């Protein structure tokens, strides 16, 4: 009764030559044959023609008889001729004297799971291309800003200073504020170019360089407990979310210290960015801020999650997880970095 009532698995028996001798309701649902139609038929009827021609069905029985078990995933054929992706286990059944009495066969339809896995693979590939395209565009813009716009602005500043030196004092005084405005614009453009292009080589070096440069006068802690360097696309996603979180700390938190911790967890990277600033004032500050929405979208697009929490006056914590298959490096370990960025 137990075997007959199972519908998610096709469970049936074969005689020593591979003919079907029992049939459950799961087998009928998955393969399409009734017990009356299929019992007595050789089980090779479930295999694609190319596998039958290659002698795969008897080879599997021989392997199961020799080793006690045969297991694989592959294409099988239903009664209506359609194919499905199946997980198949064949177990040899021996009596008390050691004689082969037949085989137990369990088949599960994995077509939907395989389709979902392929869709996830395609999504991952699309995300990889998207991240690569975004970073190429960011680097191009950073190069254009640095090599063209900044150089032009520097030249303008030099000409204004040279002009101010030749003009009478009353006119030179009017030039000075213009020179200051140009110099301020150059500084902002250099900051923009820096933020567009991740500093350093790798995630750890990039985050360390960003903390040192951007968290002016603030004590910081960077702790890495990673099994290895994450793939480039995951590293970029992690860096960009951390970058946005740290920008919010610098601009809005009024914090004295910030801690960034990264650890390998569940096939990905778990990150916690915590500060001791003013905290979240209200729900709207959480849900309506463009930078927060961007962080959430980056994490969720990569197949992960993101959250933020905080109490007014007690600081804020940004926490997220991004899937990543780490490449082996010198081995697991914890790297800690603390310091105070120069004011």
């Amino acid at each position: 009764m137990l075997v007959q009532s199972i519908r998610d698995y096709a469970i049936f028996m074969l005689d020593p030559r591979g003919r079907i001798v029992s049939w459950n309701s799961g087998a009928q649902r998955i393969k399409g044959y009734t017990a009356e139609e299929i019992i007595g038929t050789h089980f090779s009827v479930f295999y694609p023609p190319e596998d039958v021609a290659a002698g795969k069905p008897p080879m599997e029985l021989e392997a199961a008889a020799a080793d006690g078990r045969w297991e694989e995933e592959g294409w099988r054929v239903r009664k209506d001729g359609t194919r499905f992706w199946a997980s198949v286990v064949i177990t040899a059944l021996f009596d008390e004297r050691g004689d082969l009495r037949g085989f137990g066969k369990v088949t599960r339809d994995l077509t939907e799971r395989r389709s979902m896995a392929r869709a996830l693979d395609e999504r991952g590939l699309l995300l990889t291309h998207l991240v690569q395209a975004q970073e190429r565009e960011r680097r191009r813009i950073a190069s254009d800003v640095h090599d063209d716009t900044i150089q032009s602005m520097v030249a303008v500043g030099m000409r204004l200073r040279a002009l101010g030196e030749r003009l009478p004092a009353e006119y030179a005084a009017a030039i000075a504020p213009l020179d200051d405005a140009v110099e301020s614009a150059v500084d902002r453009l250099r900051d923009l170019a820096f933020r567009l292009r991740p500093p350093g080589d790798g995630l750890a070096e990039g985050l360390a360089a960003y903390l040192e440069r951007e968290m002016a006068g603030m004590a910081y802690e960077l702790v890495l407990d990673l099994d290895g360097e994450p793939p480039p696309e995951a590293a970029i996603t992690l860096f960009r979310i951390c970058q946005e979180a740290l920008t919010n700390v610098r601009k809005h938190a009024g914090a004295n210290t910030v801690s960034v911790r990264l650890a390998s967890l569940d096939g990905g990277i778990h990150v916690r960015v915590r500060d001791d600033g003013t905290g979240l004032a209200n729900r709207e500050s959480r849900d309506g801020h463009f930078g927060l929405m961007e962080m959430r979208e980056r994490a969720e697009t990569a197949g992960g999650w993101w959250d933020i929490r905080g109490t007014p006056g007690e600081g804020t914590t940004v926490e997220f997880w991004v899937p990543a298959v780490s490449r082996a490096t010198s081995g697991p370990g914890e790297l800690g970095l603390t310091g105070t960025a120069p004011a």
Side-chain angles (χ1 to χ4, degrees):
M1 288 175 62
L2 173 64
V3 171
Q4 286 299 324
S5 65
I6 294 174
R7 292 180 52 81
D8 293 333
Y9 293 82
I11 303 175
F12 54 97
M13 290 184 62
L14 309 175
D15 68 15
R17 291 189 292 176
R19 292 177 300 189
I20 299 163
V21 297
S22 74
W23 197 246
N24 78 330
S25 60
Q28 180 172 333
R29 186 186 69 84
I30 293 173
K31 297 178 181 290
Y33 296 93
T34 65
E36 292 76 14
E37 291 174 316
I38 200 65
I39 288 178
T41 304
H42 195 270
F43 84 112
S44 59
V45 70
F46 306 132
Y47 288 71
E50 60 272 20
D51 286 349
V52 175
K56 188 173 182 180
M59 179 274 294
E60 292 181 358
L61 295 186
E62 290 174 6
D67 301 330
R69 175 186 175 92
W70 168 267
E71 182 175 359
E72 71 157 1
E73 289 187 9
W75 291 111
R76 295 297 185 267
V77 180
R78 298 186 181 93
K79 177 184 176 181
D80 62 6
T82 59
R83 297 192 181 197
F84 66 100
W85 188 257
S87 168
V88 178
V89 178
I90 302 175
T91 303
L93 305 175
F94 298 93
D95 61 20
E96 62 277 4
R97 295 178 300 179
D99 295 331
L100 179 66
R101 298 298 304 274
F103 301 90
K105 194 166 186 291
V106 180
T107 302
R108 186 181 182 189
D109 186 352
L110 299 182
T111 306
E112 183 176 355
R113 192 180 77 176
R114 184 172 187 264
S115 297
M116 291 178 62
R118 290 173 64 89
L120 288 173
D121 289 343
E122 291 171 0
R123 174 182 172 178
L125 185 61
L126 178 61
L127 177 63
T128 296
H129 290 324
L130 177 61
V131 170
Q132 290 174 345
Q134 286 177 332
E135 290 307 311
R136 282 196 299 269
E137 185 65 10
R138 284 174 177 266
R139 291 177 182 275
R140 185 191 65 78
I141 294 172
S143 295
D144 289 347
V145 169
H146 181 272
D147 298 338
D148 185 6
T149 308
I150 290 179
Q151 303 308 317
S152 298
M153 295 291 288
V154 169
V156 170
M158 294 175 62
R159 291 176 182 176
L160 283 173
R161 287 190 290 275
L163 180 60
E165 292 172 357
R166 295 197 299 268
L167 289 174
E170 62 271 21
Y171 297 112
I175 294 294
L178 296 176
D179 184 29
D180 292 341
V182 169
E183 186 173 351
S184 176
V186 169
D187 289 340
R188 290 195 300 273
L189 287 170
R190 283 176 174 154
D191 182 63
L192 172 64
F194 174 82
R195 285 184 283 112
L196 283 171
R197 184 162 42 198
D201 182 17
L203 180 61
E205 188 175 329
L207 286 173
Y210 191 84
L211 282 163
E212 183 176 2
R213 174 186 167 96
E214 293 298 302
M215 311 313 288
M218 188 180 300
Y220 64 82
E221 177 188 49
L222 174 62
V223 179
L224 303 173
D225 186 11
L226 304 176
D227 294 337
E229 176 72 13
E233 295 74 29
I236 286 295
T237 298
L238 292 161
F239 177 84
R240 291 301 182 197
I241 298 175
C242 288
Q243 181 184 40
E244 184 61 38
L246 292 170
T247 298
N248 287 339
V249 172
R250 177 170 55 86
K251 290 184 176 180
H252 308 299
N256 295 313
T257 63
V258 63
S259 169
V260 182
R261 291 177 172 268
L262 293 85
S264 297
L265 177 69
D266 295 336
I269 309 296
H270 176 260
V271 182
R272 185 181 290 118
V273 181
R274 179 180 294 162
D275 68 72
D276 64 351
T278 56
L280 291 177
N282 49 51
R283 180 76 185 182
E284 286 71 23
S285 66
R286 167 187 170 133
D287 294 340
H289 190 277
F290 177 77
L292 303 187
M293 291 189 293
E294 183 181 8
M295 284 189 281
R296 180 187 296 277
E297 289 174 357
R298 281 186 180 274
E300 292 180 351
T301 300
W305 55 265
W306 177 94
D307 189 32
I308 186 171
R309 60 186 181 275
T311 303
E314 298 183 9
T316 302
T317 298
V318 169
E319 192 170 6
F320 63 96
W321 177 88
V322 172
V325 180
S326 298
R327 295 192 298 269
T329 56
S330 57
E334 182 173 293
L335 168 67
L337 174 66
T338 60
T340 301

